[in-house]
Amino acid sequence: MGNKKTKLHYYPGCTLKEKTTNLDDTTYAVMDLLGYELIEPENWTCCGAEFPLTEEKIVGLAAPVRILRQVKLEGGNKVFTVCSFCFNVLKRANEAMVTDPLKHKRINAFLKDDITIDRVTGDKTTGFPEYNGDVSVLHLLEFIRDEVGYEKIRALIKRDLGKVKVVPYYGCRLLRPKGKIGIDKPDDPSIFEEFLENIGCEVIDFPFKQECCGSYLSLSMPDAASEASYNVLRSAKLNGADVLALSCPLCYYNLDRRQDRIKEKFPEFHEMPVLFFTQLLAWALGVDEEILGLDQHFCDPRSVLGIDKSGVEI
Amino acid sequence: MSNNSDSKKKNKKQSETTLEMVPIFIMGKKHDVPATLTIQKAFEYAGYQLVRGCGCRGGICGACGTVYRFPDSYRIEVGLACQTVVKPNMYISQIPFFPANKAVYDIEELEPTGSTVWALYPEIFKCVGCGTCTRSCPMDIDVMEYISRAIRGDIAGAAELSFDCVMCGLCTVRCPSEEVQYNIGILTRRLYGRHIAKRAKHLEDAVENVKQKKFDKGVKKLKKMDIDKLKEIYSARETEPQFGPEEWEPENKDYLITE
């Protein structure tokens, strides 16, 4: 494996550095095995988490466009994310810089006067070049399908996931809005299924794979979020799944970390393990259990992976 | 006497001819002030008595945050009045005070995590990343960057990046998301100092020695000492040489703490 690694820009997003470090750690682990050295754009900030939908209030574009401009200034022509929210915002902000001349003009006029300060010398830089949407924004599922290739993944597999029955859960942000995201057909997606099949899982179809988990309602209307998540998990169970796979930290929060709240509202609810797609991939590629961060889960997914509490094979 | 006053007059005349004056506008009113003055001294030269918004006069206390503009530029410039020399045609206003919410907490009871910061300053998530705070900082701190670190729970990073903050509040004045960056910054520095930074063993030992009254005898002796004798032993005291070896130790080891 002494080959030189390919440098690739990676935007993790805030949640991955605090609440879901398991998603970040497994991303680093699998990308290392696939031959990539990840570069986080310097001074990255929160992407904003929501793409601004109002025509005039465009300040929410400043942060994602600045992040993309930084990738370009560092010589990158693509950046990938694993968080569905970050992906959605960066992708659409990028698209706005191509398709909306007025937003392009206003955001670039604003960002031109940014100041960066050299941490060592204290020198200030200002007068930044325009950003024209020329960095491609990719989700890791997309990057694996189009650039790594499933063949390479299959060749690197170290652990058999054959007995694991998985439902792919897309949620909202990976696919919609139609025509703006482009990772797959929003009405009839298959990218997640293909990925799971190629890492050796038994894929189970279920009707709630594009439904909402409750999203931010877990803050303002927790009961409504519990119900939405309950419907998703119940359907997965009824269809015979052992585990639900996803890519979004907020879906993970609603579908795993809030299972105690779901149980309060629906006493007949059965706990169900939830795993990030990168955790499944990491496991298949032979990454140490420790790096998977399984202790962070509410519902312990170890039995699904065929190991007991201490990481020993069952 | 008369000679003396003559030379004074001559000096005055000379300084008047060489003193370069520049026009500045204090809250819109024009004043001609010597070109070498800081904004703070120019205010006083123009007749203002500074009671608030004027502290250490040395660029540390952060009381004299000031904004200014030039007629031919759209930019809002910032500086500390005591550190910034006047320039011709600057339009100046000091912002000596700006209301800012401040969380009340007992640092001992807090954990050094993102959740702590988020609970005390939930509005931190309103940050839209516009970067105006960084543009407004007279201390050249990347304010937006340390707020980003706090948002993602990196307390040590936020503490380090905000270290030079003088709490002037100009970031807060200009923030469109109504953040109080400097209070968030000092929270992260307190969390870092109390809970993350490595404890200094020799300091703890020294404090323990004070508690054990190890120095009481020496202090009593000094208190009783004659002033001249005190001066003498003070002048003759051993101090660490400026370029001495690392393993230097004083000859008198009575009060030396070694690990």
Side-chain angles (χ1 to χ4, degrees):
Chain A
M1 290 299 279
N3 298 339
K4 204 162 177 271
K5 303 217 181 287
T6 311
K7 291 191 178 193
L8 178 67
H9 274 97
Y10 161 56
Y11 175 77
C14 309
T15 313
L16 278 76
K17 297 294 179 190
E18 168 85 7
K19 293 283 183 204
T20 55
T21 50
N22 44 5
L23 179 52
D24 191 43
D25 292 344
T26 46
T27 301
Y28 268 98
V30 299
M31 293 309 272
D32 183 59
L33 290 171
L34 295 175
Y36 294 94
E37 181 193 334
L38 303 187
I39 307 163
E40 296 182 18
E42 205 176 323
N43 290 353
W44 64 265
T45 61
C46 172
C47 66
E50 284 292 343
F51 179 78
L53 293 172
T54 46
E55 272 304 301
E56 291 303 320
K57 279 193 177 171
I58 61 168
V59 66
L61 288 171
V65 171
R66 184 189 292 111
I67 292 161
L68 294 166
R69 181 184 69 188
Q70 184 60 27
V71 171
K72 199 179 168 198
L73 289 173
E74 290 173 16
N77 59 7
K78 66 181 72 133
V79 59
F80 84 90
T81 72
V82 285
C83 165
S84 306
F85 265 86
C86 299
F87 170 67
N88 196 287
V89 172
L90 289 179
K91 178 100 183 177
R92 291 164 78 182
N94 201 41
E95 197 233 358
M97 291 303 100
V98 179
T99 59
D100 191 326
L102 189 58
K103 281 180 182 158
H104 172 271
K105 189 174 174 181
R106 286 169 69 182
I107 285 297
N108 273 305
F110 181 75
L111 291 180
K112 176 169 74 78
D113 289 342
D114 267 352
I115 290 171
T116 53
I117 299 147
D118 189 299
R119 301 239 175 91
V120 181
T121 62
D123 290 344
K124 288 205 248 183
T125 316
T126 188
F128 282 85
E130 281 195 351
Y131 177 73
N132 304 317
D134 36 10
V135 166
S136 27
V137 179
L138 301 164
H139 190 271
L140 184 55
L141 282 173
E142 206 181 3
F143 185 78
I144 285 174
R145 178 190 64 191
D146 300 338
E147 305 216 16
V148 179
Y150 294 134
E151 216 165 293
K152 183 169 176 184
I153 300 275
R154 284 201 304 272
L156 288 169
I157 282 182
K158 298 274 190 306
R159 289 194 187 106
D160 182 18
L161 280 166
K163 287 178 205 141
V164 182
K165 295 186 174 113
V166 189
V167 284
Y169 178 67
Y170 289 90
C172 316
R173 305 277 162 159
L174 259 187
L175 300 167
R176 295 190 284 260
K178 193 174 184 174
K180 304 269 183 193
I181 292 302
I183 167 172
D184 207 347
K185 298 185 288 287
D187 310 323
D188 182 25
S190 61
I191 182 170
F192 214 152
E193 284 86 341
E194 285 162 21
F195 168 82
L196 292 170
E197 272 164 20
N198 278 288
I199 64 168
C201 300
E202 185 183 335
V203 180
I204 308 266
D205 197 22
F206 84 128
F208 279 80
K209 64 185 175 189
Q210 297 125 290
E211 292 297 316
C212 178
C213 66
S215 195
Y216 285 123
L217 289 183
S218 52
L219 296 173
S220 54
M221 297 169 69
D223 275 358
S226 296
E227 191 171 340
S229 294
Y230 169 74
N231 289 336
V232 172
L233 291 166
R234 182 169 167 270
S235 169
K237 192 101 187 171
L238 286 174
N239 282 279
D242 300 326
V243 60
L244 179 140
L246 42 65
S247 83
C248 173
L250 184 54
C251 298
Y252 163 78
Y253 176 75
N254 281 337
L255 294 172
D256 177 70
R257 302 284 283 269
R258 290 188 79 255
Q259 285 192 17
D260 52 342
R261 300 286 300 271
I262 298 174
K263 226 191 274 182
E264 267 171 37
K265 195 169 157 61
F266 302 98
E268 76 283 9
F269 171 74
H270 293 290
E271 284 179 18
M272 168 139 193
V274 168
L275 281 168
F276 286 115
F277 73 104
T278 52
Q279 288 174 305
L280 281 165
L281 177 57
W283 187 250
L285 296 183
V287 171
D288 283 350
E289 186 231 321
E290 217 172 275
I291 293 173
L292 263 63
L294 300 174
D295 288 336
Q296 296 174 29
H297 294 248
F298 172 80
C299 179
D300 193 339
R302 284 184 180 81
S303 63
V304 174
L305 301 174
I307 48 173
D308 66 14
K309 289 260 181 245
S310 49
V312 182
E313 238 177 271
I314 302 168
Chain B
M1 280 300 275
S2 63
N3 270 355
N4 208 349
S5 71
D6 270 359
S7 76
K8 250 188 192 169
K9 255 181 205 164
K10 205 179 164 191
N11 270 346
K12 201 181 171 195
K13 208 172 180 186
Q14 211 170 29
S15 64
E16 264 171 14
T17 50
T18 53
L19 198 61
E20 190 197 339
M21 303 293 275
V22 294
I24 61 167
F25 297 82
I26 297 174
M27 289 176 278
K29 187 176 184 324
K30 189 177 174 212
H31 298 271
D32 286 307
V33 301
T36 52
L37 296 188
T38 60
I39 292 173
Q40 190 165 62
K41 285 182 178 159
F43 265 70
E44 287 166 334
Y45 184 93
Y48 290 89
Q49 186 188 6
L50 301 174
V51 179
R52 294 279 290 155
C54 163
C56 74
R57 293 172 180 261
I60 296 296
C61 81
C64 60
T66 301
V67 292
Y68 56 94
R69 263 180 155 134
F70 295 103
D72 56 353
S73 166
Y74 65 84
R75 279 176 201 278
I76 298 174
E77 315 271 353
V78 294
L80 297 176
C82 71
Q83 297 297 295
T84 313
V85 175
V86 292
K87 286 184 193 136
N89 298 314
M90 64 195 329
Y91 278 71
I92 310 167
S93 183
Q94 250 194 273
I95 306 189
F97 178 80
F98 192 79
N101 57 320
K102 187 158 68 176
V104 177
Y105 46 80
D106 178 351
I107 199 73
E108 302 292 338
E109 288 171 4
L110 299 181
E111 279 179 29
T113 61
S115 306
T116 297
V117 180
W118 310 336
L120 291 169
Y121 294 100
E123 71 276 12
I124 195 170
F125 289 110
K126 279 173 63 190
C127 173
V128 290
C130 70
T132 307
C133 48
T134 300
R135 299 173 191 189
S136 315
C137 180
M139 296 302 288
D140 293 349
I141 296 167
D142 195 339
V143 184
M144 182 177 70
E145 174 67 7
Y146 82 67
I147 292 297
S148 294
R149 299 293 181 110
I151 287 174
R152 71 180 92 132
D154 178 5
I155 302 300
E160 191 190 327
L161 288 172
S162 67
F163 188 79
D164 289 341
C165 175
V166 296
M167 313 284 283
C168 74
L170 288 179
C171 47
T172 297
V173 174
R174 298 208 52 215
C175 178
S177 298
E178 297 154 294
E179 310 280 357
V180 282
Q181 291 89 337
Y182 64 101
N183 282 340
I184 294 173
I186 202 168
L187 169 62
T188 63
R189 295 197 297 284
R190 284 172 178 156
L191 287 171
Y192 180 80
R194 182 65 192 88
H195 299 293
I196 301 176
K198 218 178 149 205
R199 319 297 297 175
K201 179 80 171 56
H202 63 280
L203 178 62
E204 281 176 2
D205 290 349
V207 172
E208 188 52 36
N209 279 335
V210 172
K211 282 186 187 160
Q212 298 298 328
K213 302 185 188 302
K214 208 182 160 188
F215 304 109
D216 284 19
K217 217 174 137 191
V219 172
K220 265 184 200 153
K221 204 171 131 195
L222 288 175
K223 275 171 138 178
K224 283 184 193 150
M225 210 171 272
D226 169 67
I227 187 81
D228 290 324
K229 176 73 181 158
L230 205 55
K231 280 179 184 169
E232 187 193 315
I233 65 163
Y234 180 79
S235 308
R237 77 196 187 282
E238 269 185 280
T239 51
E240 189 174 350
Q242 216 165 1
F243 301 105
E246 223 172 272
E247 60 276 12
W248 178 87
E249 282 185 6
E251 271 176 39
N252 179 353
K253 297 187 177 57
D254 289 354
Y255 301 109
L256 185 71
I257 301 160
T258 47
E259 279 176 38

